[in-house]
């Protein structure tokens, strides 16, 4: 397990002074990166080995959004490896140890030279220590698209969308999807399924549908095939 403490920064908050959903995802992503770096199997190691961890799905649940200046503790741990898949949990807690948000994620280790999934190296197997899976109800990592979706205006992938793997960072897709939320929509749950990587210059063609308390966005290519599918859900007014 790896953890770090932080204070919520102004740059991480929304118009209400609370942390944004994508900032929570950034904290979780940073925490897993710090973890791998500490173990010696981080970005530099992966680059040398021509490998990359590619996220295939997120499930994030939020019970409370901390405000600017509040101190939080962010934790992560891998709970399983199977073939080329890696499974990792995350939590964010307040100073009292109360759970603010938690997530489940599924990753694939990609051989960049051969452009296909591959098993963990010996160094990676020795470095990572598994911990028990967080006791949460995990939905399918596959998101079922509704039959009818409304096509929205297309837009290009910009340079600020791109990460060290030279494709759109997973959190950027969630930011894109949030553009289609109705006013006042408070996200309590987010699921994202990543089908293929968009790169600089690609055109994103969004398709969306809004049901009672749920918005589904298909961020697709020009042929309508998904890069990523994002499902955003609100439950009730209990979210702080």
């Amino acid at each position: 397990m790896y953890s770090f403490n932080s204070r919520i920064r102004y740059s991480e908050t929304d118009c209400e002074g609370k942390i944004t959903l994508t900032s929570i995802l950034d904290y979780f992503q940073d925490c897993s990166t710090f973890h791998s770096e500490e173990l010696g199997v981080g970005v530099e190691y992966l680059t040398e080995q021509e490998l990359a961890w590619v996220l295939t799905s997120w499930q994030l649940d939020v019970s409370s959004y901390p405000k600017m200046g509040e101190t939080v503790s962010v934790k992560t741990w891998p709970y399983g490896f199977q073939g080329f898949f890696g499974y990792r949990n995350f939590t964010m807690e307040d100073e009292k140890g109360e759970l603010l948000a938690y997530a489940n994620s599924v990753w694939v280790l990609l051989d960049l030279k051969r452009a296909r999934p591959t098993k963990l190296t010996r160094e990676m197997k020795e470095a990572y220590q598994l911990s028990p899976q967080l006791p949460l109800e995990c939905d399918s990592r596959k998101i079922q698209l509704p039959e009818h979706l409304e096509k929205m205006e297309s837009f290009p992938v910009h340079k600020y969308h791109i990460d060290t793997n030279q494709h759109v960072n997973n959190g950027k897709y969630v930011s894109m999807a949030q553009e289609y939320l109705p006013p006042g929509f408070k996200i309590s749950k987010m699921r994202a399924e990543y089908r293929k990587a968009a790169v600089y210059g690609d055109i994103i063609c969004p398709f969306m549908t809004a049901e009672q308390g749920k918005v589904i966005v298909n961020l697709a290519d020009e042929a309508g095939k998904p890069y990523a599918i994002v499902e955003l859900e609100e439950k009730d007014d209990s979210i702080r």
Side-chain angles (χ1 to χ4, degrees), residues 225-236:
K225 295 182 179 180
Y227 290 115
I229 303 169
V230 181
E231 180 184 272
L232 302 163
E233 183 178 343
E234 65 173 357
K235 293 181 180 177
D236 50 43

Side-chain angles (χ1 to χ4, degrees), residues 151-158 161 168 173 176 196-207 218-228:
K151 190 178 187 306
M152 312 304 287
E153 185 177 355
S154 300
F155 56 89
V157 172
H158 295 288
H161 293 136
V168 176
Y173 291 108
M176 295 172 186
K196 64 176 183 174
V199 299
Y200 176 62
D202 282 342
I203 301 299
I204 304 290
C205 301
F207 298 82
N218 175 17
L219 298 162
D221 64 16
E222 293 178 279
K225 295 182 179 180
Y227 290 115

Side-chain angles (χ1 to χ4, degrees), residues 24 37 39 41 49 51 56 72 74 96 121 130 132 142 144 149 171 177 190 193 234:
I24 295 176
E37 290 294 328
L39 297 175
V41 288
Q49 300 294 319
L51 300 172
T56 66
V72 295
V74 184
K96 298 178 181 178
T121 64
L130 301 182
K142 297 290 185 180
Q144 186 69 36
L149 294 163
M190 183 280 298
E193 178 192 350
E234 65 173 357

Side-chain angles (χ1 to χ4, degrees), residues 113-136:
K113 190 173 182 179
R114 296 185 294 172
R116 65 184 188 186
T118 187
K119 294 181 179 180
L120 275 70
T121 64
R122 177 180 57 82
E123 293 85 358
M124 298 170 80
K125 290 178 180 178
E126 293 176 353
Y128 290 114
Q129 299 295 317
L130 301 182
S131 296
Q133 182 180 1
L134 194 67
L136 61 89

Side-chain angles (χ1 to χ4, degrees), residues 144-197:
Q144 186 69 36
L145 281 173
E147 188 174 341
H148 300 290
L149 294 163
E150 179 183 359
K151 190 178 187 306
M152 312 304 287
E153 185 177 355
S154 300
F155 56 89
V157 172
H158 295 288
K159 291 180 180 178
Y160 62 83
H161 293 136
I162 305 300
D163 62 18
T164 58
N165 292 323
Q166 304 305 311
H167 55 59
V168 176
N169 182 265
N170 64 82
K172 300 298 184 183
Y173 291 108
V174 179
S175 294
M176 295 172 186
Q178 288 185 83
E179 287 295 313
Y180 308 104
L181 293 177
F185 191 101
K186 294 182 178 180
I187 303 168
S188 66
K189 183 176 182 179
M190 183 280 298
R191 289 200 298 148
E193 178 192 350
Y194 302 95
R195 299 276 184 92
K196 64 176 183 174

